[in-house]
Amino acid sequence: MQPKIAYFSAEFGLSESLPIYSGGLGVLAGDHVKAANDLELPLVGVGVLYRRGYFQQRILEDGSQDAQYPPMNPEELPVQAVLDGHGHPLFVEVPLGNRLIYLRVWQANAGNVPIYLMDADNDRNSDQDRRLTDRLYGGDQETRIAHEVILGIGGVRVLRAIGFEPDVWHMNEGHVAFLALERIREYSAQGVSFETALEAVKASTVFTTHTPVPAGHDQFSFELMDRYLGDYFWQLGADRAKILGLGRHNDKFNMTRLAFQTASKVNGVSKLHAEVTKELFHKWCPDIPPQDIPVEAVTNGVHTETWLSPELSELYNQHLAYNWPRAVADPQTWVKVEEIPDDKLWGAHQSAKQRMTERLSLPNLQNVLTIGFARRFATYKRAYLLFQDLDRLERIVNHPDHPVAFVFAGKAHPADHPGQELIRRIVEVSKMEGFQGKVFLVENYDMNIGRHLVQGVDVWLNTPVKPMEASGTSGIKAALNGVPNCSVLDGWWDEGYNGENGWAIEGKTEGGRGYQDWVDGETLYRVLETEIAPLYYRRGEGGVPHDWVTVMKNSIRTITPEFSTARMVGEYWSRAYAPVAERGRRFAANNLEVAQRVGAYKQFVRTSWDSVYIQDIKLSPHEDGTRVQACIRLGRIWHADVRVEAVGSDGHGGIWKQELRPVTENAGGKYLFECDYPNRIEVWRKANANIRVVPISPDFCNDFELELTSWGTNWR
Ligand SMILES: *Cc1c(COP(=O)(O)O)cnc(C)c1O
């Protein structure tokens, strides 16, 4: 039987007509469920129907942002009410402090994939509680924790009420991680111990993290946790300390920590982001080197058909295999892009560009190199980078042969004042003498405006502070429309750039923000002046820029398959959903036999680990290398239940490992372990090598699941 998947997310960007998304995270979730539909996966989405959604943006004359949250009537949204067995509207309830909140359930659809959305605006709730789910990311910490209780706890209850039995629970970002607590509570209500329940839940949960900076991770004070969930803790079969321990970090309850501890597969959203995440999570368990922190990478993609222009879609119909929409992830599908005549691809792009300028009320830009920059105006995305040297920028936009125009769009969260300052600055520059008709700001960025922009501009620009852009996806939407990227080598672009499909700004990672801005800004100006603009304006017969079209084709051919949600969801399937479903079933079988065994075994190891101790490490020359011997006390733990290994630096930011085998056992659980290291002692010392003991089990999802290791004394 195909495993069933529940995909929980605080936002879903399905279409502009259902504004329950704020940016990349939500649009990714929308594209994920659309791809699941294409692949006919038995997946359902779970989220919140924010009755006033994310805000509508107007930019006032002085550049300030006006944010309005107009109420939405579900009758006018692409959702329908979910009914219970008696044909009445379905409600679920969640505990919130000393009261219950009643949530009505709605359903949106991505083809055959349902997305269940909860909302508190109904007459079973107090007037105040009815407003709880008004705004996405609105309000204070209290609203935030309420949303997350609704998402996590309410979401599980919705699936139970509907009768959908997931094999895999996918947490899209830590916001939804309370779902693990609710599942533990369910087991506890059936008389299952906390330890066993935790193992069963973990075995069947996948966690995708999206945020490379600690400040981006949700955390709640213990006081707030007590106030909102104090009466709920005891229902989980453990004491308060144990529950809070699941998310404890720096005396706060950290939702990312909770998700990490309750999932058996954890991934970041690009290769670079996975590495950054390892460094971040390493702070929770400093004894485990970042390289060993179990975080994988599943790089984001976009849903091709959602973002492709009708003009190019038509061309692809003519020149690619007839079934290309079903074979998006296959690189072979896109090789045929080379066969599209240059003038036809150029013509299709020019039509898309004209449509964009008309729809967005921009002047005619057909003969001007037009560069797009649109995304949330979060400061790390550095929309200001371009404005560092206004004299130079003025020369670029007004170049006699190579003029350039810039189109910006984006919302700044109403509480993000530096973000709103950026908008003001763009408006200010757009009104300066040298920039009129060259710098534009389109208001109320949403999926519709985004679609027009990624289809119609000539180049897509992104300038994040490396490595803060976990993935980014808007550039992928541009690339598949033949709009090459010019971006900092961060997130997906660090993997996608090949030297011929766009332009790269290396992205300084050291030296402080001012210095990084300066270096990256200089690179950006230079690339614009010396590479992008001259290439764009180098025309052949009929005004077709053949060399430019070559870059367009490279962009489409190399980026579209690899960075599609078809590839991405396929990868989630094979690397996460299928193995985790299998694991979850194994742990749950025979009345949770394996879950119980693993839970009990972990308790044994935890309580016995204090006595694990590396007493002595001896290095002696042996043939051409070194004999390494370690005297280790394991106490109550059996030697086959640990791995003893030498670990050293490879000199290039990585580590090497070599296992030691037990050679003698002495009384009191003392062992001699040994290996022959192939190099001399000086090399061992230079590699900062040390020996560690790690508890292992074939039932663990990875060797560091217990976050326990014991190192020799000369470590660090
Ligand atoms: C794709 C998309 C984003 C994400 O853009 P990034 O450049 O990846 O941050 C944000 N908002 C909307 C409306 C989008 O369509």
Side-chain angles (χ1 to χ4, degrees):
M1 200 184 65
Q2 261 205 331
K4 296 196 201 114
I5 303 131
Y7 180 87
F8 282 59
S9 180
E11 3 174 347
F12 280 93
L14 292 160
S15 107
E16 57 273 17
S17 59
L18 188 57
I20 54 170
Y21 61 92
S22 85
L25 177 75
V27 175
L28 176 83
D31 281 10
H32 190 112
V33 293
K34 289 175 192 174
N37 176 60
D38 295 344
L39 296 170
E40 297 180 17
L41 298 192
L43 178 144
V44 304
V46 178
V48 171
L49 183 68
Y50 306 95
R51 287 290 284 269
R52 290 166 183 260
Y54 200 55
F55 67 93
Q56 302 285 315
Q57 176 198 53
R58 273 195 325 132
I59 311 284
L60 307 181
E61 199 56 32
D62 64 352
S64 52
Q65 169 179 278
D66 173 63
Q68 294 291 335
Y69 288 87
M72 302 185 289
N73 182 351
E75 317 244 302
E76 288 157 23
L77 293 174
V79 297
Q80 76 236 27
V82 175
L83 304 180
D84 66 15
H86 308 288
H88 302 306
L90 177 68
F91 285 87
V92 298
E93 52 190 57
V94 294
L96 205 64
N98 53 11
R99 59 200 197 276
L100 287 175
I101 304 291
Y102 296 87
L103 302 164
R104 186 148 176 208
V105 188
W106 307 88
Q107 178 177 344
N109 296 301
N112 294 319
V113 170
I115 297 99
Y116 298 110
L117 302 168
M118 296 163 279
D119 120 71
D121 190 6
N122 61 72
D123 57 16
R124 298 191 187 184
N125 294 322
S126 69
D127 285 348
Q128 201 186 345
D129 287 339
R130 291 182 76 147
R131 305 273 68 84
L132 266 180
T133 50
D134 269 2
R135 303 175 178 192
L136 169 59
Y137 305 139
D140 50 11
Q141 282 288 91
E142 310 239 348
T143 315
R144 192 73 169 223
I145 196 172
H147 282 183
E148 299 190 3
V149 166
I150 288 169
L151 265 167
I153 299 176
V156 174
R157 295 183 179 185
V158 167
L159 296 182
R160 298 309 184 204
I162 285 163
F164 184 84
E165 295 283 336
D167 298 286
V168 178
W169 302 72
H170 189 167
M171 302 170 170
N172 188 43
E173 189 57 321
H175 309 130
V176 301
F178 284 144
L179 79 83
L181 300 189
E182 174 63 5
R183 292 186 58 214
I184 293 172
R185 188 202 60 78
E186 290 181 331
Y187 279 120
S188 178
Q190 295 164 23
V192 176
S193 76
F194 173 79
E195 282 72 23
T196 302
L198 175 59
E199 293 310 318
V201 167
K202 188 175 169 89
S204 48
T205 302
V206 175
F207 169 43
T208 301
T209 175
H210 292 259
T211 314
V213 280
H217 295 223
D218 269 331
Q219 45 181 14
F220 301 118
S221 70
F222 291 153
E223 182 272 327
L224 199 61
M225 287 291 291
D226 284 339
R227 205 141 43 76
Y228 276 79
L229 291 168
D231 288 340
Y232 178 80
F233 291 153
W234 65 267
Q235 300 177 44
L236 276 69
D239 56 20
R240 171 182 180 271
K242 240 182 206 165
I243 310 291
L244 292 180
L246 289 173
R248 181 187 288 271
H249 178 54
N250 288 343
D251 282 328
K252 288 267 173 66
F253 191 87
N254 184 305
M255 294 300 283
T256 307
R257 182 81 175 121
L258 173 65
F260 183 77
Q261 295 220 67
T262 54
S264 57
K265 272 278 180 201
V266 179
N267 74 281
V269 289
S270 70
K271 293 195 169 84
L272 203 57
H273 176 235
E275 295 311 308
V276 173
T277 301
K278 290 176 183 203
E279 294 281 351
L280 208 65
F281 293 180
H282 163 67
K283 297 197 172 67
W284 295 335
C285 16
D287 283 345
I288 301 170
Q291 293 89 344
D292 281 328
I293 300 286
V295 176
E296 299 180 22
V298 179
T299 303
N300 281 348
V302 305
H303 186 251
T304 313
E305 285 177 277
T306 296
W307 299 102
L308 186 61
S309 73
E311 292 83 359
L312 260 68
S313 182
E314 183 57 33
L315 262 194
Y316 296 166
N317 286 340
Q318 289 167 20
H319 292 273
L320 308 186
Y322 76 98
N323 66 338
W324 71 265
R326 300 271 81 79
V328 164
D330 182 357
Q332 279 306 320
T333 302
W334 300 94
V335 171
K336 284 219 168 111
V337 166
E338 301 298 345
E339 293 170 15
I340 302 176
D342 285 1
D343 60 332
K344 282 180 95 179
L345 184 57
W346 180 247
H349 170 69
Q350 288 293 84
S351 308
K353 184 173 182 179
Q354 188 168 355
R355 181 170 45 77
M356 169 195 77
T357 47
E358 285 165 8
R359 296 283 172 80
L360 304 185
S361 305
L362 294 167
N364 181 345
L365 294 167
Q366 287 312 98
N367 297 314
V368 184
L369 167 58
T370 304
I371 298 182
F373 182 107
R375 50 186 54 82
R376 288 181 303 116
F377 279 122
T379 43
Y380 77 85
K381 291 177 184 265
R382 290 195 299 189
Y384 59 83
L385 199 65
L386 200 59
F387 300 144
Q388 283 203 126
D389 183 344
L390 281 185
D391 292 337
R392 190 155 175 194
L393 185 64
E394 194 174 332
R395 288 199 296 278
I396 292 175
V397 298
N398 296 309
H399 191 285
D401 308 317
H402 307 155
V404 182
F406 291 91
V407 184
F408 288 88
K411 295 175 178 174
H413 189 278
D416 178 6
H417 296 290
Q420 289 170 58
E421 214 36 63
L422 276 176
I423 295 177
R424 214 166 284 143
R425 177 73 175 149
I426 294 169
V427 170
E428 184 185 16
V429 172
S430 72
K431 291 181 173 171
M432 289 178 183
E433 186 148 310
F435 295 97
Q436 285 171 21
K438 297 296 163 96
V439 173
F440 304 94
L441 178 62
V442 178
E443 63 184 4
N444 206 29
Y445 181 53
D446 65 359
M447 286 179 71
N448 177 45
I449 287 169
R451 204 161 44 235
H452 285 300
L453 287 171
V454 296
Q455 295 171 358
V457 299
D458 298 306
V459 172
W460 196 255
L461 179 68
N462 193 11
T463 51
V465 184
K466 189 172 182 172
M468 291 176 76
E469 187 79 300
S471 167
T473 50
S474 63
I476 307 169
K477 304 166 193 167
L480 61 90
N481 280 295
V483 174
N485 281 260
C486 171
S487 291
V488 168
L489 282 178
D490 195 9
W492 79 274
W493 187 231
D494 187 52
E495 292 162 52
Y497 175 65
N498 73 356
E500 294 174 345
N501 57 1
W503 297 272
I505 300 162
E506 193 212 334
K508 277 279 162 217
T509 52
E510 70 288 323
R513 188 75 162 251
Y515 172 73
Q516 293 169 340
D517 286 356
W518 183 78
V519 175
D520 293 350
E522 286 297 306
T523 313
L524 173 58
Y525 290 133
R526 186 175 46 70
V527 172
L528 285 172
E529 289 165 332
T530 63
E531 299 184 38
I532 298 180
L535 191 72
Y536 182 83
Y537 285 103
R538 196 187 302 153
R539 300 301 163 98
E541 77 282 9
V544 178
H546 292 286
D547 296 335
W548 184 267
V549 174
T550 300
V551 181
M552 291 172 67
K553 286 181 177 176
N554 290 343
S555 170
I556 297 167
R557 178 173 51 77
T558 60
I559 293 166
T560 313
E562 179 65 21
F563 299 95
S564 61
T565 37
R567 186 275 307 153
M568 179 189 86
V569 174
E571 212 173 315
Y572 273 110
W573 175 265
S574 59
R575 292 176 50 198
Y577 296 159
V580 168
E582 164 64 27
R583 185 178 177 81
R585 282 188 192 144
R586 194 162 66 80
F587 273 54
N590 294 333
N591 269 327
L592 302 162
E593 186 188 328
V594 176
Q596 204 219 328
R597 186 174 76 218
V598 172
Y601 180 62
K602 279 187 180 175
Q603 262 186 319
F604 165 75
V605 174
R606 271 212 186 88
T607 51
S608 313
W609 196 253
D610 270 356
S611 57
V612 174
Y613 180 65
I614 301 182
Q615 293 176 310
D616 188 32
I617 300 170
K618 223 170 78 195
L619 307 173
S620 48
H622 178 73
E623 294 173 358
D624 286 343
T626 307
R627 170 144 296 173
V628 181
Q629 292 180 309
C631 247
I632 301 176
R633 190 183 67 202
L634 293 177
R636 296 200 289 158
I637 295 177
W638 190 38
H639 69 80
D641 288 336
V642 298
R643 194 175 55 241
V644 177
E645 59 192 357
V647 182
S649 157
D650 68 2
H652 313 286
I655 54 177
W656 55 261
K657 302 171 196 176
Q658 185 176 348
E659 194 166 341
L660 281 73
R661 61 191 177 278
V663 283
T664 51
E665 176 176 357
N666 302 313
K670 287 185 189 164
Y671 294 84
L672 180 69
F673 281 78
E674 183 178 285
C675 74
D676 287 330
Y677 173 67
N679 304 306
R680 293 181 185 283
I681 294 180
E682 306 86 76
V683 186
W684 167 281
R685 295 238 154 86
K686 234 178 117 194
N688 244 323
N690 197 349
I691 289 174
R692 71 176 170 194
V693 187
V694 185
I696 56 169
S697 158
D699 289 325
F700 291 169
C701 54
N702 60 69
D703 289 346
F704 301 94
E705 188 172 334
L706 272 166
E707 300 184 0
L708 290 174
T709 38
S710 194
W711 287 95
T713 43
N714 55 348
W715 178 248
R716 281 189 231 131

